[in-house]
Amino acid sequence: MKRYFITGTGTGIGKSYFSALLARKLKEEGRSVRYIKPVATGYPADDDAAFVAGRAGLAPEDAVTLYTATEPASPCFVFDPFPFEACVSRLEALCEGRDAVLIESAGGLAVPLGVRRYNYQFALALGLETILVVPNRLGCLSDAVVYGHFALRHRLSLAAIAVNDFFAASPAQADRNAAEIERQFPGKVGYRFGQGEAQGA
């Protein structure tokens, strides 16, 4: 079984869009896939599980959101406290019976869930392979270096960096940025996506 933690350098950078692309690719390879959003704020107006299900062709039981809040804010502001241990237990149960599971964070890798609880701890608690989504735009090199080294320092298994070219000013700048991220993290730029595509989430 492959279990991935889809996270990124911030919010609104294409994590759900990438999750849908990866889920569809895995399905086309003949694997059973489940997508899980442990926590979603701004819900149901912003329903990433529904978006991924529609894009990837997942059944409703294979695109799941666990804990929700209507206010579009960091989880630390809307849960008192966030039920981290219970959430991890539910995630473990939902990982059973599928060839691949994609667990997408709410916001970026270091978003606080509550007191001394952060998004990245899902990856540690569940032994997930982390895929870091980086928007390819001015400033992305600093973001990629900071978050990439944060992941490594906290002993996450950094499986890949997914570079979202949707944000690039030009193809030449997109290639230049992606090449530098690859130089900083050799062998880690595993995905490039989004050039010229309407993403929607």
Side-chain angles (χ1 to χ4, degrees):
M1 179 197 298
K2 301 295 288 185
R3 304 199 298 187
Y4 296 105
F5 186 55
I6 312 300
T7 188
T9 60
T11 192
I13 59 170
K15 296 188 305 296
S16 299
Y17 186 81
F18 174 76
S19 293
L21 291 178
L22 182 57
R24 188 170 62 197
K25 176 179 181 292
L26 292 167
K27 278 192 66 183
E28 289 171 352
E29 293 172 355
R31 305 187 194 187
S32 58
V33 181
R34 175 167 284 158
Y35 165 91
I36 311 169
K37 186 91 171 186
V39 54
T41 62
Y43 182 92
D46 185 10
D47 188 345
D48 291 333
F51 173 83
V52 172
R55 287 271 183 161
L58 298 179
E61 64 270 20
D62 282 326
V64 182
T65 304
L66 298 185
Y67 297 92
T68 65
T70 56
E71 183 183 356
S74 177
C76 67
F77 295 131
V78 294
F79 295 94
D80 184 25
F82 182 77
F84 183 80
E85 288 81 7
C87 186
V88 168
S89 294
R90 293 178 69 184
L91 290 167
E92 282 279 20
L94 286 165
C95 285
E96 296 300 320
R98 297 296 182 274
D99 299 325
V101 176
L102 313 182
I103 297 175
E104 183 193 333
S105 68
L109 180 62
V111 164
L113 301 168
V115 177
R116 293 186 294 277
R117 288 295 187 192
Y118 302 89
N119 269 337
Y120 75 87
Q121 291 173 329
F122 285 125
L124 290 175
L126 293 158
L128 309 175
E129 295 185 52
T130 297
I131 299 178
L132 182 71
V133 177
V134 177
N136 196 339
R137 62 190 178 197
L138 185 65
C140 71
L141 299 182
S142 176
D143 288 345
V145 169
V146 168
Y147 279 89
H149 284 293
F150 179 94
L152 296 173
R153 180 164 57 88
H154 286 278
R155 302 184 183 279
L156 273 65
S157 174
L158 184 60
I161 296 171
V163 178
N164 188 353
D165 291 337
F166 174 79
F167 297 93
S170 70
Q173 290 184 24
D175 290 344
R176 181 173 65 182
N177 288 338
E180 180 59 23
I181 295 171
E182 173 65 21
R183 191 182 74 81
Q184 295 286 336
F185 299 95
K188 293 300 184 184
V189 178
Y191 307 92
R192 288 186 64 184
F193 68 102
Q195 186 171 13
E197 301 172 6
Q199 299 196 359

